[in-house]
Coordinates of all heavy atoms in Angstrom, one line a residue:
M1 N 0.8 -1.2 0.0 CA 0.0 0.0 0.0 C 0.9 1.2 0.0 O 1.8 1.3 0.7 CB -0.9 0.0 1.3 CG -2.3 0.0 1.1 SD -3.2 0.1 2.7 CE -4.8 0.1 2.0
R2 N 0.5 2.2 -0.8 CA 1.2 3.5 -0.8 C 0.8 4.3 0.3 O -0.3 4.1 0.9 CB 0.9 4.2 -2.1 CG 1.4 3.5 -3.4 CD 1.2 4.3 -4.7 NE 0.2 5.3 -4.6 CZ -0.9 5.4 -5.3 NH1 -1.2 4.5 -6.2 NH2 -1.8 6.4 -5.1
N3 N 1.6 5.3 0.7 CA 1.3 6.2 1.8 C -0.1 6.9 1.7 O -0.8 6.9 2.7 CB 2.4 7.3 2.0 CG 3.6 6.7 2.7 OD1 3.6 5.6 3.3 ND2 4.7 7.4 2.7
D4 N -0.4 7.4 0.5 CA -1.7 8.0 0.3 C -2.8 7.1 0.5 O -3.9 7.4 1.1 CB -1.8 8.8 -1.0 CG -1.6 7.9 -2.2 OD1 -1.0 6.8 -2.1 OD2 -2.1 8.3 -3.3
E5 N -2.6 5.8 0.1 CA -3.7 4.8 0.3 C -3.8 4.5 1.8 O -4.9 4.3 2.3 CB -3.3 3.5 -0.4 CG -3.4 3.7 -1.9 CD -2.9 2.5 -2.7 OE1 -1.9 1.9 -2.2 OE2 -3.4 2.2 -3.8
I6 N -2.7 4.4 2.5 CA -2.7 4.2 4.0 C -3.4 5.3 4.7 O -4.3 5.1 5.6 CB -1.3 4.0 4.5 CG1 -0.7 2.6 4.0 CG2 -1.3 4.0 6.1 CD1 0.7 2.4 4.3
H7 N -3.1 6.6 4.3 CA -3.7 7.7 4.9 C -5.2 7.7 4.7 O -6.0 8.0 5.6 CB -3.1 9.0 4.4 CG -1.7 9.2 4.7 ND1 -0.8 10.1 4.1 CD2 -0.9 8.6 5.7 CE1 0.4 10.0 4.6 NE2 0.3 9.1 5.6
A8 N -5.6 7.4 3.5 CA -7.1 7.4 3.1 C -7.8 6.3 3.9 O -8.9 6.5 4.4 CB -7.3 7.2 1.6
A9 N -7.2 5.1 4.0 CA -7.8 4.0 4.8 C -7.9 4.4 6.3 O -8.9 4.1 6.9 CB -7.0 2.7 4.6
F10 N -6.8 5.0 6.8 CA -6.9 5.5 8.2 C -8.0 6.5 8.4 O -8.7 6.4 9.4 CB -5.5 6.0 8.6 CG -5.4 6.5 10.0 CD1 -5.4 5.6 11.1 CD2 -5.4 7.9 10.3 CE1 -5.3 6.1 12.4 CE2 -5.3 8.3 11.6 CZ -5.3 7.4 12.7
H11 N -8.0 7.5 7.6 CA -9.1 8.5 7.7 C -10.5 7.9 7.7 O -11.3 8.3 8.5 CB -8.9 9.5 6.6 CG -9.9 10.7 6.6 ND1 -11.1 10.7 6.0 CD2 -9.8 11.8 7.4 CE1 -11.7 11.8 6.3 NE2 -11.0 12.5 7.1
M12 N -10.7 7.0 6.7 CA -12.0 6.4 6.7 C -12.3 5.5 7.9 O -13.4 5.6 8.5 CB -12.1 5.5 5.4 CG -13.5 4.9 5.3 SD -13.9 3.9 3.8 CE -12.4 3.6 3.0
A13 N -11.3 4.8 8.4 CA -11.5 3.9 9.6 C -11.8 4.8 10.8 O -12.6 4.5 11.6 CB -10.4 3.0 9.8
V14 N -11.0 5.9 11.0 CA -11.2 6.8 12.1 C -12.5 7.5 12.0 O -13.2 7.6 13.1 CB -10.0 7.8 12.2 CG1 -10.4 9.0 13.1 CG2 -8.7 7.2 12.6
S15 N -13.0 7.9 10.9 CA -14.3 8.5 10.7 C -15.4 7.6 11.1 O -16.3 8.0 11.8 CB -14.5 9.0 9.3 OG -13.6 10.0 9.0
E16 N -15.3 6.3 10.7 CA -16.3 5.3 11.1 C -16.3 5.1 12.6 O -17.4 5.0 13.2 CB -16.0 4.0 10.3 CG -16.3 4.1 8.8 CD -15.9 2.9 8.1 OE1 -15.6 1.8 8.7 OE2 -15.9 2.9 6.8
E17 N -15.1 5.0 13.2 CA -15.0 4.8 14.6 C -15.5 6.0 15.4 O -16.2 5.8 16.4 CB -13.6 4.5 15.0 CG -13.3 4.3 16.5 CD -14.1 3.1 17.1 OE1 -14.4 2.2 16.4 OE2 -14.3 3.1 18.3
L18 N -15.3 7.2 14.9 CA -15.8 8.4 15.5 C -17.3 8.4 15.5 O -18.0 8.7 16.5 CB -15.2 9.6 14.9 CG -15.5 10.9 15.5 CD1 -15.1 11.0 17.0 CD2 -14.8 12.1 14.7
R19 N -17.9 8.0 14.4 CA -19.4 8.0 14.3 C -19.9 6.9 15.3 O -20.9 7.2 16.0 CB -19.8 7.6 12.9 CG -19.8 8.8 11.9 CD -20.5 8.5 10.6 NE -19.8 7.6 9.8 CZ -18.7 7.9 9.0 NH1 -18.4 9.2 8.9 NH2 -18.1 7.0 8.3
R20 N -19.3 5.8 15.3 CA -19.7 4.7 16.3 C -19.6 5.2 17.7 O -20.6 5.1 18.5 CB -18.9 3.5 16.1 CG -19.4 2.3 16.9 CD -18.4 1.2 17.0 NE -17.2 1.6 17.8 CZ -17.2 1.8 19.1 NH1 -18.3 1.6 19.8 NH2 -16.1 2.1 19.8
A21 N -18.5 5.8 18.1 CA -18.3 6.3 19.4 C -19.3 7.4 19.8 O -19.8 7.5 20.9 CB -16.9 6.8 19.6
D22 N -19.6 8.3 18.8 CA -20.5 9.4 19.1 C -21.9 8.8 19.3 O -22.6 9.4 20.2 CB -20.6 10.4 17.9 CG -19.4 11.3 17.9 OD1 -18.7 11.5 18.9 OD2 -19.2 11.9 16.8
A23 N -22.3 7.8 18.6 CA -23.6 7.2 18.8 C -23.7 6.5 20.2 O -24.8 6.4 20.8 CB -23.9 6.2 17.7
K24 N -22.6 5.9 20.6 CA -22.6 5.1 21.8 C -22.4 5.9 23.1 O -22.9 5.6 24.2 CB -21.5 4.0 21.7 CG -21.5 3.0 22.8 CD -20.5 1.9 22.5 CE -20.5 0.9 23.7 NZ -19.5 -0.1 23.5
H25 N -21.6 7.0 23.0 CA -21.2 7.7 24.3 C -21.6 9.2 24.1 O -21.5 9.8 23.1 CB -19.7 7.6 24.5 CG -19.2 6.2 24.6 ND1 -19.4 5.4 25.6 CD2 -18.5 5.5 23.7 CE1 -18.8 4.2 25.4 NE2 -18.3 4.2 24.3
S26 N -21.9 9.8 25.3 CA -22.2 11.2 25.3 C -20.9 12.0 25.3 O -19.8 11.4 25.4 CB -23.1 11.5 26.5 OG -22.3 11.2 27.7
E27 N -21.1 13.3 25.1 CA -19.9 14.1 25.1 C -19.3 14.2 26.5 O -20.0 14.0 27.5 CB -20.2 15.6 24.7 CG -20.6 15.7 23.2 CD -19.4 15.4 22.3 OE1 -18.3 15.9 22.6 OE2 -19.6 14.8 21.3
A28 N -18.0 14.4 26.6 CA -17.3 14.5 27.9 C -17.8 15.7 28.7 O -18.2 16.7 28.1 CB -15.8 14.6 27.7
A29 N -17.7 15.6 30.0 CA -18.2 16.7 30.8 C -17.2 17.9 30.8 O -17.6 19.1 30.9 CB -18.4 16.3 32.3
D30 N -15.9 17.6 30.7 CA -14.9 18.6 30.6 C -13.6 18.1 29.9 O -13.6 16.9 29.6 CB -14.6 19.1 32.1 CG -14.1 18.0 33.0 OD1 -13.4 17.1 32.6 OD2 -14.5 18.1 34.2
I31 N -12.7 18.9 29.8 CA -11.4 18.5 29.1 C -10.7 17.4 29.8 O -10.1 16.6 29.1 CB -10.5 19.8 28.8 CG1 -9.3 19.4 27.9 CG2 -10.0 20.4 30.1 CD1 -9.7 18.9 26.5
Y32 N -10.8 17.4 31.1 CA -10.1 16.4 31.8 C -10.7 15.0 31.6 O -9.9 14.0 31.5 CB -10.0 16.7 33.3 CG -9.3 18.0 33.5 CD1 -10.0 19.2 33.8 CD2 -7.9 18.1 33.3 CE1 -9.4 20.4 34.0 CE2 -7.3 19.3 33.5 CZ -8.0 20.5 33.8 OH -7.4 21.7 33.9
E33 N -12.0 14.9 31.5 CA -12.6 13.6 31.2 C -12.2 13.2 29.8 O -12.0 12.1 29.5 CB -14.2 13.8 31.3 CG -14.9 12.5 31.0 CD -16.4 12.6 31.1 OE1 -16.9 13.6 31.6 OE2 -17.0 11.6 30.6
M34 N -12.2 14.2 28.9 CA -11.9 13.9 27.5 C -10.4 13.4 27.4 O -10.1 12.4 26.7 CB -12.0 15.1 26.6 CG -12.0 14.9 25.1 SD -13.4 13.9 24.5 CE -12.6 12.4 24.1
L35 N -9.5 14.0 28.1 CA -8.1 13.5 28.1 C -8.0 12.2 28.8 O -7.2 11.4 28.3 CB -7.3 14.6 28.9 CG -7.1 15.9 28.1 CD1 -6.3 16.9 29.0 CD2 -6.4 15.7 26.8
A36 N -8.8 11.9 29.8 CA -8.8 10.6 30.4 C -9.2 9.5 29.4 O -8.6 8.4 29.3 CB -9.7 10.5 31.6
V37 N -10.2 9.8 28.6 CA -10.7 8.8 27.6 C -9.6 8.6 26.6 O -9.3 7.5 26.2 CB -12.0 9.3 26.9 CG1 -12.4 8.5 25.7 CG2 -13.1 9.3 27.9
L38 N -9.0 9.7 26.1 CA -7.9 9.6 25.1 C -6.7 8.8 25.7 O -6.1 7.9 25.1 CB -7.4 11.0 24.7 CG -6.3 11.1 23.7 CD1 -6.6 10.3 22.4 CD2 -6.0 12.5 23.4
G39 N -6.4 9.1 27.0 CA -5.3 8.4 27.6 C -5.6 6.9 27.8 O -4.7 6.0 27.6
E40 N -6.9 6.6 28.1 CA -7.2 5.2 28.2 C -7.1 4.4 26.9 O -6.5 3.3 26.8 CB -8.7 5.0 28.7 CG -9.2 3.6 28.8 CD -10.7 3.5 29.2 OE1 -11.3 4.6 29.4 OE2 -11.1 2.4 29.2
E41 N -7.5 5.1 25.8 CA -7.3 4.5 24.5 C -5.9 4.3 24.1 O -5.5 3.3 23.6 CB -8.1 5.3 23.4 CG -9.6 5.3 23.6 CD -10.2 3.9 23.5 OE1 -9.6 2.9 22.9 OE2 -11.3 3.7 24.0
F42 N -5.0 5.3 24.5 CA -3.6 5.2 24.2 C -3.0 4.0 25.0 O -2.2 3.2 24.5 CB -2.9 6.5 24.5 CG -1.4 6.4 24.2 CD1 -1.0 6.4 22.9 CD2 -0.5 6.3 25.2 CE1 0.4 6.3 22.6 CE2 0.9 6.2 24.9 CZ 1.3 6.2 23.6
G43 N -3.4 3.9 26.3 CA -3.0 2.7 27.1 C -3.4 1.4 26.5 O -2.6 0.4 26.5
E44 N -4.5 1.3 25.9 CA -5.0 0.1 25.2 C -4.1 -0.2 24.0 O -3.8 -1.3 23.7 CB -6.4 0.1 24.9 CG -7.3 0.1 26.1 CD -8.8 0.3 25.8 OE1 -9.2 0.3 24.6 OE2 -9.6 0.4 26.8
L45 N -3.7 0.9 23.3 CA -2.8 0.7 22.1 C -1.4 0.2 22.6 O -0.9 -0.7 22.0 CB -2.6 2.0 21.4 CG -1.6 2.0 20.2 CD1 -1.9 1.0 19.2 CD2 -1.5 3.4 19.6
Q46 N -0.9 0.8 23.7 CA 0.3 0.3 24.2 C 0.2 -1.2 24.6 O 1.1 -2.0 24.3 CB 0.7 1.1 25.5 CG 1.1 2.5 25.1 CD 1.4 3.3 26.4 OE1 0.6 3.4 27.3 NE2 2.6 3.9 26.5
Q47 N -0.9 -1.6 25.3 CA -1.0 -3.0 25.7 C -1.1 -3.9 24.4 O -0.6 -5.0 24.4 CB -2.3 -3.2 26.5 CG -2.5 -4.6 27.1 CD -1.3 -4.9 28.0 OE1 -1.1 -4.2 29.0 NE2 -0.7 -6.0 27.7
A48 N -1.8 -3.4 23.4 CA -1.9 -4.3 22.2 C -0.5 -4.5 21.5 O -0.2 -5.6 21.0 CB -2.8 -3.6 21.2
V49 N 0.3 -3.4 21.6 CA 1.7 -3.6 21.0 C 2.5 -4.5 21.9 O 3.2 -5.4 21.3 CB 2.4 -2.2 20.9 CG1 3.9 -2.3 20.6 CG2 1.7 -1.3 19.9
L50 N 2.4 -4.4 23.2 CA 3.1 -5.4 24.1 C 2.6 -6.8 23.8 O 3.4 -7.7 23.8 CB 2.9 -5.0 25.5 CG 3.6 -3.8 26.0 CD1 3.1 -3.3 27.4 CD2 5.1 -4.0 26.0
D51 N 1.3 -7.0 23.7 CA 0.7 -8.3 23.4 C 1.2 -8.8 22.1 O 1.5 -10.0 21.9 CB -0.8 -8.3 23.4 CG -1.4 -8.1 24.8 OD1 -0.7 -8.2 25.8 OD2 -2.6 -7.7 24.8
Y52 N 1.3 -8.0 21.1 CA 1.9 -8.3 19.8 C 3.3 -8.8 19.9 O 3.7 -9.9 19.4 CB 1.8 -7.2 18.8 CG 2.3 -7.4 17.5 CD1 1.6 -8.2 16.5 CD2 3.6 -7.0 17.1 CE1 2.2 -8.4 15.3 CE2 4.2 -7.3 15.9 CZ 3.4 -8.0 15.0 OH 4.0 -8.3 13.7
D53 N 4.1 -8.0 20.6 CA 5.5 -8.4 20.7 C 5.8 -9.6 21.6 O 6.7 -10.4 21.3 CB 6.3 -7.2 21.3 CG 6.7 -6.2 20.2 OD1 6.6 -6.5 19.0 OD2 7.1 -5.1 20.5
Y54 N 5.1 -9.8 22.7 CA 5.4 -10.8 23.7 C 4.4 -11.9 23.9 O 4.8 -12.9 24.5 CB 5.7 -10.1 25.0 CG 6.8 -9.1 25.0 CD1 6.6 -7.7 25.0 CD2 8.1 -9.5 24.9 CE1 7.6 -6.8 24.9 CE2 9.2 -8.6 24.8 CZ 8.9 -7.3 24.8 OH 10.0 -6.4 24.7
Q55 N 3.2 -11.7 23.4 CA 2.2 -12.7 23.7 C 1.5 -13.3 22.4 O 0.5 -14.0 22.5 CB 1.1 -12.1 24.5 CG 1.5 -11.5 25.8 CD 2.1 -12.6 26.8 OE1 1.6 -13.7 26.8 NE2 3.1 -12.3 27.6
G56 N 2.1 -12.9 21.2 CA 1.5 -13.4 20.0 C 0.2 -12.7 19.6 O -0.6 -13.3 18.8
G57 N 0.0 -11.5 20.1 CA -1.2 -10.7 19.7 C -1.1 -10.4 18.2 O -0.1 -10.6 17.5
S58 N -2.3 -10.0 17.7 CA -2.4 -9.8 16.2 C -2.1 -8.3 15.8 O -2.4 -7.4 16.6 CB -3.8 -10.1 15.8 OG -4.7 -9.2 16.2
R59 N -1.6 -8.2 14.6 CA -1.4 -6.9 14.0 C -2.7 -6.2 13.8 O -2.8 -4.9 14.0 CB -0.7 -7.1 12.7 CG -0.5 -5.8 11.8 CD 0.2 -6.2 10.5 NE 0.2 -5.1 9.6 CZ -0.6 -4.8 8.6 NH1 -1.6 -5.7 8.4 NH2 -0.5 -3.8 7.9
D60 N -3.8 -6.9 13.5 CA -5.1 -6.3 13.3 C -5.6 -5.6 14.6 O -6.2 -4.6 14.6 CB -6.1 -7.3 12.8 CG -5.9 -7.7 11.4 OD1 -5.2 -7.0 10.7 OD2 -6.5 -8.7 11.0
H61 N -5.3 -6.3 15.8 CA -5.7 -5.7 17.0 C -4.9 -4.4 17.3 O -5.5 -3.4 17.8 CB -5.5 -6.6 18.2 CG -6.0 -6.1 19.5 ND1 -7.3 -5.8 19.7 CD2 -5.3 -5.8 20.6 CE1 -7.5 -5.3 20.9 NE2 -6.3 -5.3 21.5
V62 N -3.6 -4.4 17.0 CA -2.9 -3.1 17.1 C -3.4 -2.0 16.2 O -3.6 -0.9 16.7 CB -1.4 -3.4 16.8 CG1 -0.6 -2.1 16.8 CG2 -0.7 -4.4 17.7
L63 N -3.8 -2.4 15.0 CA -4.4 -1.4 14.1 C -5.7 -0.9 14.6 O -6.0 0.3 14.5 CB -4.5 -2.0 12.7 CG -3.2 -2.2 11.9 CD1 -3.4 -3.0 10.7 CD2 -2.5 -0.9 11.7
E64 N -6.6 -1.8 15.1 CA -7.9 -1.4 15.7 C -7.7 -0.4 16.8 O -8.4 0.6 16.9 CB -8.6 -2.6 16.2 CG -9.1 -3.5 15.1 CD -9.7 -4.8 15.7 OE1 -9.8 -5.0 16.9 OE2 -9.9 -5.8 14.9
E65 N -6.7 -0.7 17.7 CA -6.5 0.3 18.8 C -5.9 1.6 18.3 O -6.3 2.6 18.9 CB -5.5 -0.4 19.8 CG -6.1 -1.6 20.6 CD -7.4 -1.3 21.4 OE1 -7.6 -0.1 21.8 OE2 -8.1 -2.2 21.7
C66 N -5.1 1.6 17.3 CA -4.6 2.8 16.7 C -5.7 3.6 16.1 O -5.8 4.9 16.3 CB -3.6 2.5 15.7 SG -2.7 3.9 15.0
I67 N -6.7 3.0 15.5 CA -7.9 3.7 15.0 C -8.7 4.3 16.1 O -9.1 5.5 16.0 CB -8.7 2.7 14.1 CG1 -8.0 2.4 12.8 CG2 -10.1 3.3 13.9 CD1 -8.5 1.2 12.1
Q68 N -8.8 3.6 17.2 CA -9.6 4.1 18.3 C -8.9 5.4 18.9 O -9.5 6.3 19.3 CB -9.8 3.1 19.4 CG -10.8 2.0 18.9 CD -11.0 0.9 19.9 OE1 -10.5 0.9 21.0 NE2 -11.8 -0.1 19.5
V69 N -7.5 5.3 19.0 CA -6.8 6.5 19.5 C -7.0 7.7 18.5 O -7.3 8.8 19.0 CB -5.3 6.2 19.6 CG1 -4.5 7.4 19.8 CG2 -5.0 5.2 20.7
G70 N -7.0 7.4 17.2 CA -7.2 8.5 16.2 C -8.6 9.1 16.4 O -8.8 10.3 16.4
A71 N -9.6 8.2 16.6 CA -11.0 8.7 16.8 C -11.1 9.6 18.1 O -11.7 10.6 18.0 CB -12.0 7.6 16.8
M72 N -10.5 9.1 19.1 CA -10.5 9.9 20.4 C -9.7 11.2 20.3 O -10.1 12.2 20.9 CB -10.1 9.1 21.6 CG -11.1 8.0 21.9 SD -12.8 8.5 22.1 CE -13.5 8.1 20.6
A73 N -8.6 11.2 19.5 CA -7.9 12.4 19.3 C -8.7 13.4 18.5 O -8.7 14.6 18.8 CB -6.6 12.1 18.5
C74 N -9.5 12.9 17.5 CA -10.4 13.8 16.8 C -11.5 14.3 17.7 O -11.8 15.5 17.6 CB -11.1 13.0 15.6 SG -10.0 12.7 14.3
K75 N -12.0 13.5 18.6 CA -13.1 13.9 19.5 C -12.5 14.9 20.5 O -13.2 15.9 20.8 CB -13.6 12.7 20.2 CG -15.0 12.9 20.9 CD -15.6 11.6 21.3 CE -17.0 11.9 21.8 NZ -17.8 10.7 22.0
T76 N -11.3 14.8 20.9 CA -10.6 15.7 21.8 C -10.4 17.0 21.1 O -10.7 18.1 21.6 CB -9.3 15.2 22.3 OG1 -9.5 13.9 23.0 CG2 -8.6 16.1 23.2
F77 N -10.0 17.0 19.8 CA -9.8 18.2 19.0 C -11.1 19.0 18.9 O -11.2 20.2 19.1 CB -9.2 17.8 17.7 CG -9.0 19.0 16.8 CD1 -7.8 19.7 16.8 CD2 -10.0 19.5 15.9 CE1 -7.5 20.8 16.0 CE2 -9.7 20.5 15.1 CZ -8.5 21.2 15.1
R78 N -12.2 18.2 18.6 CA -13.5 18.8 18.5 C -14.0 19.4 19.8 O -14.5 20.5 19.8 CB -14.5 17.7 18.0 CG -15.9 18.2 17.7 CD -16.7 17.1 17.2 NE -17.0 16.1 18.3 CZ -17.4 14.9 18.1 NH1 -17.7 14.4 16.9 NH2 -17.6 14.1 19.1
F79 N -13.7 18.7 20.9 CA -14.1 19.2 22.2 C -13.4 20.5 22.5 O -14.0 21.5 22.9 CB -13.8 18.2 23.3 CG -14.2 18.6 24.7 CD1 -15.5 18.3 25.2 CD2 -13.4 19.4 25.5 CE1 -15.9 18.7 26.4 CE2 -13.8 19.9 26.7 CZ -15.0 19.5 27.2
I80 N -12.1 20.6 22.2 CA -11.3 21.8 22.5 C -11.8 22.9 21.6 O -12.0 24.0 22.1 CB -9.8 21.5 22.2 CG1 -9.3 20.6 23.3 CG2 -9.0 22.8 22.2 CD1 -7.9 20.0 23.0
H81 N -12.1 22.6 20.4 CA -12.5 23.6 19.4 C -13.9 24.2 19.9 O -14.1 25.4 19.8 CB -12.6 23.1 18.0 CG -13.1 24.0 17.0 ND1 -12.2 25.0 16.5 CD2 -14.2 24.2 16.3 CE1 -12.9 25.7 15.6 NE2 -14.1 25.2 15.5
R82 N -14.8 23.4 20.3 CA -16.1 23.8 20.7 C -16.3 24.3 22.1 O -17.1 25.2 22.4 CB -17.1 22.6 20.5 CG -17.4 22.2 19.1 CD -18.3 21.0 19.1 NE -18.6 20.6 17.7 CZ -19.3 19.5 17.4 NH1 -19.7 18.7 18.4 NH2 -19.5 19.2 16.2
S83 N -15.5 23.8 23.0 CA -15.8 24.1 24.4 C -14.8 24.9 25.2 O -15.1 25.5 26.2 CB -15.8 22.7 25.2 OG -16.8 21.9 24.6
L84 N -13.6 25.0 24.7 CA -12.6 25.8 25.5 C -12.5 27.2 25.0 O -12.5 27.5 23.8 CB -11.2 25.2 25.4 CG -11.0 23.8 26.0 CD1 -9.5 23.4 26.0 CD2 -11.5 23.7 27.4
G85 N -12.6 28.1 25.9 CA -12.5 29.5 25.6 C -11.1 30.0 25.8 O -10.1 29.3 25.6
T86 N -10.9 31.3 26.2 CA -9.6 31.9 26.4 C -9.0 31.2 27.6 O -9.7 31.0 28.7 CB -9.8 33.4 26.7 OG1 -10.5 33.9 25.5 CG2 -8.5 34.0 26.8
P87 N -7.7 30.8 27.6 CA -7.0 30.2 28.7 C -7.1 31.1 30.0 O -7.1 32.4 29.8 CB -5.6 30.0 28.3 CG -5.7 30.0 26.8 CD -6.8 30.9 26.4
R88 N -7.1 30.6 31.1 CA -7.0 31.3 32.4 C -5.9 32.3 32.4 O -4.8 31.9 31.9 CB -6.9 30.4 33.6 CG -8.1 29.6 33.8 CD -8.0 28.7 35.1 NE -9.1 27.8 35.2 CZ -9.0 26.5 35.0 NH1 -7.9 25.9 34.7 NH2 -10.1 25.7 35.1
G89 N -6.1 33.5 32.8 CA -5.0 34.5 32.9 C -4.8 35.3 31.6 O -4.1 36.2 31.6
Q90 N -5.5 34.9 30.6 CA -5.4 35.6 29.3 C -6.8 36.3 29.0 O -7.8 35.8 29.4 CB -5.0 34.7 28.2 CG -3.6 34.2 28.3 CD -3.3 33.3 27.1 OE1 -4.0 33.3 26.1 NE2 -2.2 32.6 27.2
G91 N -6.7 37.4 28.4 CA -8.0 38.1 28.0 C -8.7 38.8 29.2 O -9.8 39.2 29.0
E92 N -8.0 38.9 30.3 CA -8.6 39.6 31.5 C -8.3 41.0 31.5 O -7.3 41.5 31.0 CB -8.2 38.9 32.8 CG -8.6 37.5 32.9 CD -8.1 36.8 34.1 OE1 -7.2 37.4 34.8 OE2 -8.5 35.7 34.3

């Protein structure tokens, strides 16, 4: 697969995962909850890589977890864009 094909496949998979996550879960209450969700997904990606390297885990599972991290990164970006105003101490 060429890089542009990989990017397109990743974008499509992340978009599908984001739609699924949006339908299943409500929006985060605040940025800290959103970061906790993103951190949890990243931890699951780390575990999938460790399982792949040391326990015979599958490459597909690593890719699935990577897609979930991408979706939660998008959701975090969206949350920041929609919900965060001027940082504390600025604009006063």
Side-chain angles (χ1 to χ4, degrees):
M1 242 183 174
R2 296 184 340 240
N3 280 345
D4 60 335
E5 293 171 324
I6 292 170
H7 295 162
F10 180 72
H11 183 265
M12 184 174 11
V14 167
S15 294
E16 289 172 12
E17 177 63 22
L18 186 56
R19 279 191 289 279
R20 187 197 66 73
D22 282 343
K24 186 175 180 180
H25 303 288
S26 61
E27 290 295 319
D30 56 36
I31 187 62
Y32 300 104
E33 181 182 348
M34 193 68 251
L35 291 174
V37 170
L38 179 58
E40 179 183 356
E41 293 300 336
F42 182 73
E44 291 174 7
L45 173 58
Q46 289 176 307
Q47 186 63 56
V49 170
L50 289 169
D51 290 346
Y52 176 81
D53 276 346
Y54 299 106
Q55 303 294 325
S58 74
R59 175 181 174 262
D60 286 345
H61 183 64
V62 173
L63 291 171
E64 288 170 14
E65 293 299 337
C66 189
I67 289 163
Q68 290 176 4
V69 169
M72 291 307 101
C74 288
K75 198 165 182 167
T76 302
F77 181 88
R78 185 177 68 198
F79 183 92
I80 291 167
H81 183 74
R82 290 180 179 168
S83 302
L84 294 186
T86 304
R88 291 185 186 108
Q90 293 183 10
E92 294 176 355

